[in-house]
Amino acid sequence: MAYNHINFMRRLVLPKIYQKSRLLTLRLLLIKVAGRLLRFGRSTWLKLSSSFPYLELFHDLLVKLE
């Protein structure tokens, strides 16, 4: 089920250069990300390092998923 979910996301959301990437590569780029999850009342924030090399890609994916 997780594999199908990632393939669905890969086709709909990822840019063309990442669509043929292996799952291990996508996991390393987008899921294994160091950050801090903060909760304030009803909102949740994910704070990422400013030096995270794929910050723009991560942000674009989040915007497309909304």
Side-chain angles (χ1 to χ4, degrees), residues 41-59:
R42 293 184 179 180
S43 54
T44 302
W45 293 79
L46 176 62
K47 295 277 195 164
L48 298 173
S49 171
S50 60
S51 63
F52 177 53
Y54 301 104
L55 185 61
E56 187 175 327
L57 173 65
F58 196 82
H59 181 265

Side-chain angles (χ1 to χ4, degrees), residues 3 6 10 21-32:
Y3 179 81
I6 294 294
R10 185 187 315 179
S21 298
R22 294 177 37 190
L23 287 179
L24 179 62
T25 304
L26 293 175
R27 190 179 74 180
L28 289 173
L29 292 178
L30 302 172
I31 297 174
K32 286 187 170 183

Side-chain angles (χ1 to χ4, degrees), residues 9-26:
M9 184 187 80
R10 185 187 315 179
R11 279 188 253 142
L12 293 180
V13 180
L14 287 175
K16 294 271 185 196
I17 59 172
Y18 294 106
Q19 284 184 355
K20 293 195 178 200
S21 298
R22 294 177 37 190
L23 287 179
L24 179 62
T25 304
L26 293 175

